[in-house]
Amino acid sequence: MAKPVLLVTRKLPDGVEARLAGLFDARLNTTDEAWFRSGAEIARRATEIGAAGVLCAAGDPMNAETIAALPASVKIVTTFSVGVDHVALEACKARGIAVTHTPEVLSFATAECAFTLMLMAARRAGEGERMVRAGKWDGWAPTQLMGVTLQGKKLGVLGFGRIGRQLADMARGMQMEIHYHDVQRLPPELEKGATFHPTEDAFLGAIDVLSMHVPGGEGTRKWLNATRLAKMKKGALVVNTGRGPSVDDEALVAALASGHIRAAGLDVYDGEPKVHPGYFALENVALLPHLGSATLETRDAMGARCIENLEALLLKGQNPPHRAA
């Protein structure tokens, strides 16, 4: 019996690709060619091969136009990500296409990345690393690159989901005080003593470090704007490993330049891979290239989640276990 044809838009870890090739007639993008940036090209390739499924990734333009252009043979779109804001869920639902994602396996790695950026921002690690590489370090000095400690600081977690709670667990080891703001209060066993703030104003005014973990979409677009930044303490830190569009770049650049925000650490960007040029002129911002889940262990686990979903629907005729829509 012929294997279901699968279009894979991105280069994936070798072990994941080997498993896909064993289970499916997998058409792989082994060199990560940039055709995945075009929704029309994704749809054309899926039509050309009669794909039963499309394995895409974060940032692929799986919008309504792309979904409408997919062939009738496509039964599932599985994304190599936990976020699904790049997939037109309603368009898929209208066509009876299942959408699956990779929850629960990348929380710790993304929290690690947020914690890394917190330390980089607080301790001016990016500045120091650039100084050494440029040959401008003249040796230790009592007042050189003095940052601030995280010990005893109030960490504000915006979005107290799996990633936010993992970060809170790490921060407790640094003797930080945990505060959070979310759409509703969590039960005590999940809060673990964290302070819930039902209003944005009380939350922003209380914290020393803001770590953002909100989902994408118009509801969170440019959430961190000039008005909210002004409500934060002078000298606070900002970290974003959630969604790039949730930050108003112009406002954050201005707050960093003025010193109202001491420093920031960013792993995601509005319109990435483009980065707002204002950040490049600032020393007090650490910039990472979307490394949130980039560990060998996590990316393999994400691949396994995709395979579980594809195997369930295309090979066993079952409902996928990690369905987003």
Side-chain angles (χ1 to χ4, degrees), residues 3-300:
K3 297 177 180 178
V5 180
L6 178 67
L7 178 67
V8 183
T9 66
R10 304 300 307 271
K11 166 65 182 168
L12 300 178
D14 291 343
V16 175
E17 290 189 338
R19 288 190 63 195
L20 288 170
L23 292 168
F24 306 99
D25 181 359
R27 311 301 173 88
L28 305 172
N29 186 359
T30 56
T31 58
D32 220 27
E33 291 181 25
W35 56 261
F36 63 84
R37 298 192 189 280
S38 166
E41 184 63 13
I42 291 173
R44 186 193 71 77
R45 288 173 181 255
T47 301
E48 188 177 80
I49 64 176
V54 176
L55 198 170
C56 65
D60 288 1
M62 303 300 291
N63 52 39
E65 292 76 16
T66 303
I67 300 304
L70 292 175
S73 57
V74 173
K75 299 179 176 64
I76 181 172
V77 169
T78 187
T79 180
F80 193 83
S81 63
V82 66
V84 293
D85 41 293
H86 58 293
V87 182
L89 301 181
E90 289 300 318
C92 289
K93 182 179 179 180
R95 292 199 52 186
I97 298 173
V99 179
T100 67
H101 61 152
T102 63
E104 301 170 357
V105 296
L106 49 74
S107 301
F108 194 91
T110 306
E112 278 184 325
C113 186
F115 197 75
T116 298
L117 284 167
M118 283 169 52
L119 283 168
M120 290 182 72
R123 297 300 304 273
R124 302 175 67 176
E127 293 177 72
E129 204 266 354
R130 288 188 291 273
M131 176 188 289
V132 173
R133 282 186 179 274
K136 296 180 179 179
W137 184 46
D138 295 326
W140 183 87
T143 58
Q144 184 179 75
L145 290 178
M146 291 190 298
V148 293
T149 184
L150 294 179
Q151 183 183 29
K153 295 296 192 295
K154 295 177 180 178
L155 169 62
V157 182
L158 181 66
F160 212 47
R162 294 187 184 95
I163 298 170
R165 296 197 301 273
Q166 289 278 11
L167 177 63
D169 285 344
M170 296 174 187
R172 289 185 182 97
M174 293 289 287
Q175 301 171 33
M176 298 185 79
E177 188 177 302
I178 312 302
H179 297 247
Y180 76 97
H181 176 66
D182 212 323
V183 293
Q184 61 185 11
R185 185 169 186 172
L186 275 65
E189 63 270 20
L190 294 180
E191 280 189 335
K192 297 182 181 178
T195 299
F196 171 65
H197 294 272
T199 67
E200 293 176 358
D201 288 3
F203 172 69
L204 292 171
I207 61 177
D208 302 303
V209 182
L210 171 67
S211 187
M212 301 179 64
H213 304 276
V214 293
E218 286 306 310
T220 59
R221 182 163 184 79
K222 295 192 176 182
W223 185 92
L224 189 63
N225 55 24
T227 300
R228 292 188 174 102
L229 283 163
K231 294 174 181 176
M232 296 180 68
K233 296 178 183 177
K234 180 175 174 58
L237 308 176
V238 170
V239 168
N240 187 21
T241 56
R243 294 291 184 274
S246 64
V247 171
D248 182 335
D249 291 318
E250 293 285 347
L252 181 55
V253 166
L256 287 164
S258 72
H260 178 70
I261 296 299
R262 180 185 298 275
L266 306 176
D267 187 47
V268 289
Y269 309 92
D270 190 3
E272 62 183 59
K274 295 180 181 178
V275 178
H276 190 287
Y279 293 125
F280 298 139
L282 299 170
E283 284 288 352
N284 58 339
V285 57
L287 307 172
L288 295 182
H290 205 146
L291 294 181
S293 63
T295 69
L296 296 171
E297 299 87 350
T298 299
R299 293 289 167 84
D300 282 343

